[in-house]
Amino acid sequence: MSTADHSRRSAARLSEDILHSWSGLPDGVSPSPRESNVPSARELEYMRMLKTLLGNVDGMVYRCRDDAHWTMEFVSEGCERVTGYQPRDLMGNGRITYESITHPEDKTWVREAVRSALAARTRFDLEYRILHADGGVRWVWERGTGVLDEHGRVIAIEGLIQDVTARRDAVQALREAERRYRGLFDNAIEGIFRTTPDGHYLDANPALANIYGFSSPQELMDSLRDIGRQLYVDPQRREEFMRIMRARGSVTGFESQVYRKNGDIIWISENARALFDASGTCVGYEGTVEDITERKRYQARIEQQANYDTLTGLANRSLLQDRLEQALLTAATYRTKLAVVFVDLDRFKLINDSLGHHVGDELLKVMAGRLESCVRECDTVARLGGDEFVVLVTGQSAADQVRSVVERMLTVVSQPWVTEHGEFNVSCSIGVALFPNDGTDAQTLLKHADSAMYRAKESGRNNFQFFTRELNTLMTERLELESRLRRALERNQFLLHYQPRVDLTSGRIIGAEALIRWQLPDQGLVAPGRFIPLAEETGLIVPIGKWVLKAACAQNRRWQDEGREPIVVSVNVSARQFRQDNLVRTVAEVLQETGLEPRYLELELTESMVMHDPAQLVAMLGELKRLGVHIAVDDFGTGYSSLSYLKRFPVDRLKVDRSFVEHLATDADDASIVRAIITLGHNLGLKVVAEGVEMPQQVSFLQTHHCDEAQGFLFGRPVGADALAQLLGRRIAPGVEA
Ligand code: C2E
Ligand code: MG
Ligand code: MG
């Protein structure tokens, strides 16, 4: 078949269709003015083109009447896609009217809109719903216009109806998404912003306004016109922000301090990215802001706790370690000296124990401040704990400069400290180790400064010592001593000497003080002064003390068993032993085991011990008294206390310290002190013993002033048990009348 044939046949069919369509029209509306109902070829071709075009239109092209049914005079094939009905179903209301498929809720306004457009002779353009043949609802977009006759009357309406459901849905979805994102934007806890590169806000959410202290995003956007200068505390932060943006296109966790509206400063963290236009030019930034002030504060607190001493605010041990390492590096690089200064308050424990911890704390704070006042900002003052401080003095070129700093420390610390509890004179002992001479690493320097400080304590406190090689040797010896001391008990290296105590009236030996000696294989006897302090420090005094107690009680019992005149044996007890809860039980057990009657045992405690934890001590002494043992206060007069405790403590004897007895004959002050102690003791119903009596003049003085008893080289040095046994029962007090 030729193309021409084909087109002719199609045209013929088209004309048939059209005629068929027209034929459905009521009378009088025939569109054809011609009598002949056979179209010409040109007309056919024209119709074919029209049909093709209309068929291609996305939607239905129509012509209808302006009546109650919107009666369709012509409907293109797109009808089926839009409504689900065939054109012939709608045409001339063949099966259904367009009015009836218009959505009930839209009928009225659609009609109204069409009517007014027709009246105004304008096009109408509407979006409404229709009921599809499949039972569903479709959104359609109708544009149309009235067709007028020569008199200007509307004879029909022509237009196009398209299904826009999909587009509507898309728009709806978009709106929904937009609404959701807006919700996120408005309700976010984080601040969200968009700004121009030159620091204007384009958008801000309520959270951002809130973070910056504005009542609304609008107020924020109106007020902050220059972010760099108005917002950032350090304007350089904005520059830094831009620099990173230029380099990387985004920032994360960018922390800065910013001003709030009221001038408060807060910390924020920003995540942001640069925005670019199609040509790649930066057109702004967008991102989020988080208020991290609380977190920063918390971090600072944690850091403070990790690095600083809570009581004094000074650096703590760990920060000291860091600073020391740092200072060592610097000192090594610049070849400067670095001084590690160890400071320990003298007799701090006494104040702390007697006046209570709050006073002790106060004192530490005051002293911390005083030490800080002696050094420059760049130096470190740290508290290691207790009353121990370490000061790092950096950048010194000579030991002499350190000396002046340390001298200043001694001076300011010893300034009287006035409180509501009274005035206190506190001193300190200082040890200094220098880099690089005394050590090149932190640990060694600290250790050596500590040793030097010990030396200062030993040299009578309130002074400073530089670390020396000799001191190092001493410290090494001390360490050695400690390890030997740990093994001394099991190796049975201790023994007791006894020093007689004499009744000054009768001249008889009425007691003996047990004094420990350490027999080292290669060194002869070691005096207690060389190892008791170490034993106290290490806690070894507890087992050693128990051994002394046992040995002394056993010996005393042995003397009695040998038929010698019974005496009281005195045993020195350390504070550390008293702090063991079971001291009373230990004493009871030892007495039980050895079979010594309690009245033949006396415990000596030092005056300063009485200051520690008095309430508990009173209770323990009470129990010991109930056991029947005697209690003596040793080294009386050297303590730090008020004497009121004597009234409360069940004490039997005061042992006047040797330092007062020594110059009794020559020093008027010492003489009056001893006299006063004797009087005091007697008034309280106590026996008074003079220690360290070496000369007959001392004896006469003591007798004149009715001192009860005496002990000293004049009557007998501390000797072994057998040697003492020889003395028992003899009158040995020279110059004492029978
Ligand atoms: P202390 O309890 O005051 O003992 C008296 C000390 O003075 C003894 O020193 C004694 O030898 C010495 N002494 C006695 N008379 C004279 C004298 O006329 N002139 C001089 N210059 N000194 C005299 P020692 O034996 O060296 O003991 C020293 C300290 O060691 C004792 O002082 C005591 O506090 C402590 N100690 C001794 N043995 C023990 C013990 O078993 N346990 C405890 N915890 N401490 C002990
Ligand atoms: Mg003693
Ligand atoms: Mg003594």
Side-chain angles (χ1 to χ4, degrees):
M1 199 193 304
S2 74
T3 325
D5 285 346
H6 178 83
S7 54
R8 188 158 303 124
R9 279 193 51 179
S10 332
R13 189 158 333 120
L14 176 72
S15 72
E16 266 168 40
D17 288 349
I18 292 177
L19 289 178
H20 182 248
S21 309
W22 286 144
S23 69
L25 295 181
D27 295 337
V29 289
S30 165
S32 171
R34 293 195 338 160
E35 284 309 300
S36 161
N37 53 5
V38 181
S40 70
R42 260 193 75 194
E43 277 174 323
L44 282 174
E45 180 56 22
Y46 186 73
M47 284 183 203
R48 187 200 56 78
M49 183 188 76
L50 209 61
K51 182 171 177 173
T52 310
L53 287 175
L54 292 181
N56 284 341
V57 169
D58 177 22
M60 80 185 225
V61 178
Y62 71 89
R63 175 183 169 110
C64 75
R65 289 184 207 148
D66 176 21
D67 64 9
H69 306 296
W70 302 117
T71 305
M72 290 295 169
E73 291 179 355
F74 172 76
V75 180
S76 73
E77 281 172 13
C79 171
E80 192 183 349
R81 262 192 314 241
V82 177
T83 66
Y85 296 101
Q86 296 294 323
R88 79 177 75 88
D89 295 338
L90 271 168
M91 219 129 44
N93 304 327
R95 207 178 120 198
I96 197 150
T97 68
Y98 193 74
E99 167 70 9
S100 69
I101 67 168
T102 304
H103 195 283
E105 287 174 19
D106 294 336
K107 277 179 183 170
T108 316
W109 75 262
V110 166
R111 185 166 292 283
E112 202 44 53
V114 172
R115 185 154 293 158
S116 56
L118 293 181
R121 303 286 184 261
T122 58
R123 285 167 54 104
F124 57 89
D125 186 333
L126 315 166
E127 240 176 76
Y128 60 91
R129 290 161 292 177
I130 59 165
L131 306 172
H132 193 270
D134 66 10
V137 172
R138 298 286 190 282
W139 275 96
V140 294
W141 176 27
E142 177 175 356
R143 280 150 298 166
T145 178
V147 180
L148 308 177
D149 64 10
E150 61 267 36
H151 308 295
R153 281 185 307 234
V154 175
I155 51 165
I157 304 168
E158 289 175 356
L160 172 65
I161 298 173
Q162 285 173 296
D163 183 342
V164 292
T165 313
R167 199 196 73 205
R168 287 277 306 204
D169 284 352
V171 169
Q172 195 57 34
L174 213 62
R175 284 214 193 103
E176 182 53 32
E178 157 92 15
R179 197 188 55 71
R180 274 204 312 269
Y181 286 120
R182 191 79 217 172
L184 279 180
F185 182 76
D186 284 342
N187 300 315
I189 300 168
E190 289 191 326
I192 303 174
F193 66 83
R194 222 153 44 83
T195 69
T196 61
D198 61 350
H200 280 72
Y201 278 100
L202 295 172
D203 218 343
N205 71 342
L208 189 75
N210 188 41
I211 290 172
Y212 292 162
F214 293 95
S215 54
S216 69
Q218 197 55 49
E219 191 199 358
L220 175 144
M221 291 193 279
D222 292 344
S223 313
L224 288 178
R225 315 296 314 182
D226 182 346
I227 295 175
R229 258 185 282 157
Q230 284 177 276
L231 190 62
Y232 291 90
V233 173
D234 173 7
Q236 305 238 302
R237 285 310 276 168
R238 178 69 179 176
E239 272 153 42
E240 176 68 6
F241 179 92
M242 311 268 268
R243 197 188 58 72
I244 301 176
M245 278 296 185
R246 276 195 299 276
R248 286 190 237 139
S250 68
V251 298
T252 40
F254 185 80
E255 297 185 355
S256 332
Q257 283 186 295
V258 298
Y259 292 111
R260 297 186 84 223
K261 182 187 168 190
N262 64 4
D264 286 354
I265 292 175
I266 57 169
W267 274 100
I268 58 160
S269 168
E270 290 175 85
N271 291 323
R273 65 188 190 97
L275 302 172
F276 300 97
D277 65 11
S279 71
T281 319
C282 174
V283 292
Y285 308 114
E286 66 178 16
T288 59
V289 169
E290 196 189 345
D291 182 347
I292 54 164
T293 313
E294 234 358 272
R295 194 211 300 165
K296 279 279 180 191
R297 251 185 233 141
Y298 182 70
Q299 271 173 2
R301 213 166 48 231
I302 293 287
E303 196 185 323
Q304 176 78 20
Q305 280 166 1
N307 288 321
Y308 293 89
D309 170 44
T310 21
L311 177 67
T312 60
L314 294 179
N316 66 8
R317 192 182 286 271
S318 94
L319 186 57
L320 172 72
Q321 192 68 29
D322 289 354
R323 296 259 177 94
L324 183 48
E325 307 276 0
Q326 196 54 49
L328 282 171
L329 279 179
T330 315
T333 311
Y334 297 100
R335 294 176 179 284
T336 48
K337 291 219 185 290
L338 165 68
V340 177
V341 181
F342 216 106
V343 183
D344 190 290
L345 299 182
D346 297 329
R347 300 183 200 281
F348 171 73
K349 203 165 166 19
L350 220 54
I351 293 187
N352 206 36
D353 288 343
S354 49
L355 297 174
H357 293 280
H358 56 287
V359 182
D361 285 355
E362 212 43 54
L363 175 68
L364 288 173
K365 280 196 254 182
V366 170
M367 292 305 155
R370 290 187 184 182
L371 288 176
E372 271 188 311
S373 75
C374 297
V375 295
R376 297 158 306 161
E377 191 93 332
C378 57
D379 296 327
T380 297
V381 180
R383 176 171 172 237
L384 292 192
D387 58 345
E388 288 182 342
F389 299 87
V390 169
V391 183
L392 299 185
V393 186
T394 54
Q396 308 289 324
S397 52
D400 266 0
Q401 285 171 290
V402 177
R403 183 182 295 269
S404 69
V405 173
V406 170
E407 275 166 355
R408 205 155 59 233
M409 287 180 185
L410 281 180
T411 314
V412 298
V413 166
S414 61
Q415 233 104 86
W417 177 49
V418 185
T419 71
E420 56 190 47
H421 307 279
E423 192 176 301
F424 296 90
N425 290 298
V426 180
S427 62
C428 64
S429 301
I430 299 180
V432 184
L434 292 175
F435 168 86
N437 315 43
D438 303 332
T440 49
D441 64 284
Q443 217 186 341
T444 311
L445 284 166
L446 278 169
K447 197 179 84 191
H448 288 176
D450 189 22
S451 308
M453 188 277 290
Y454 260 96
R455 175 38 91 72
K457 289 257 183 227
E458 281 167 6
S459 324
R461 303 188 167 99
N462 197 21
N463 74 106
F464 64 87
Q465 298 286 330
F466 275 86
F467 179 78
T468 58
R469 295 261 155 250
E470 168 218 356
L471 185 52
N472 197 20
T473 322
L474 272 179
M475 292 315 291
T476 319
E477 274 175 19
R478 203 183 108 100
L479 279 177
E480 236 168 73
L481 193 70
E482 184 180 330
S483 74
R484 294 167 93 172
L485 190 59
R486 288 188 185 281
R487 295 189 299 264
L489 259 183
E490 65 201 45
R491 294 189 179 174
N492 218 359
Q493 291 173 337
F494 293 119
L495 60 128
L496 291 182
H497 276 184
Y498 298 88
Q499 184 179 34
R501 179 156 51 83
V502 172
D503 182 302
L504 282 174
T505 316
S506 66
R508 301 186 85 85
I509 296 176
I510 51 165
E513 177 170 5
L515 294 160
I516 193 169
R517 303 291 179 259
W518 182 11
Q519 175 74 67
L520 272 171
D522 45 343
Q523 287 183 19
L525 287 187
V526 183
R530 275 200 54 209
F531 65 90
I532 290 291
L534 189 61
E536 282 176 342
E537 230 173 85
T538 53
L540 286 169
I541 192 65
V542 174
I544 294 175
K546 190 169 173 182
W547 176 86
V548 172
L549 192 65
K550 224 182 216 170
C553 291
Q555 183 57 60
N556 203 15
R557 174 70 214 210
R558 209 169 300 133
W559 284 323
Q560 291 178 15
D561 290 346
E562 289 166 9
R564 303 188 194 276
E565 201 168 300
I567 57 164
V568 173
V569 71
S570 303
V571 172
N572 294 285
V573 182
S574 286
R576 189 90 181 231
Q577 289 171 269
F578 256 94
R579 263 178 256 135
Q580 303 270 301
D581 297 331
N582 53 8
L583 179 72
V584 180
R585 210 175 60 215
T586 307
V587 171
E589 277 168 12
V590 167
L591 289 170
Q592 175 81 31
E593 275 172 43
T594 57
L596 182 72
E597 282 179 57
R599 61 187 168 123
Y600 295 120
L601 174 65
E602 180 165 81
L603 300 181
E604 293 190 7
L605 49 142
T606 57
E607 191 181 5
S608 55
M609 253 171 66
V610 180
M611 304 306 301
H612 306 322
D613 212 351
Q616 205 198 339
L617 189 74
V618 173
M620 282 178 84
L621 291 181
E623 286 179 62
L624 288 168
K625 280 300 291 181
R626 276 193 289 283
L627 279 182
V629 302
H630 304 270
I631 310 284
V633 178
D634 205 355
D635 306 339
F636 189 79
T638 57
Y640 202 73
S641 63
S642 69
L643 297 169
S644 58
Y645 73 88
L646 283 177
K647 270 195 310 201
R648 292 188 289 130
F649 288 178
V651 171
D652 304 283
R653 246 178 213 84
L654 297 183
K655 297 187 81 171
V656 184
D657 193 69
R658 181 156 57 84
S659 57
F660 304 113
V661 178
E662 204 176 349
H663 305 294
L664 203 55
T666 50
D667 187 320
D669 284 345
D670 283 351
S672 19
I673 289 174
V674 173
R675 262 204 319 271
I677 295 177
I678 296 170
T679 312
L680 172 82
H682 287 170
N683 285 343
L684 291 167
L686 310 176
K687 297 262 187 207
V688 179
V689 190
E691 283 190 290
V693 177
E694 296 181 353
M695 293 170 295
Q697 298 97 298
Q698 293 165 323
V699 177
S700 18
F701 177 93
L702 293 166
Q703 284 177 324
T704 313
H705 294 98
H706 311 291
C707 183
D708 306 278
E709 299 160 9
Q711 190 179 327
F713 292 171
L714 185 65
F715 307 105
R717 292 182 174 257
V719 289
D722 292 344
L724 191 94
Q726 302 306 312
L727 298 174
L728 292 184
R730 303 228 308 255
R731 284 184 49 230
I732 56 163
V736 178
E737 271 102 71

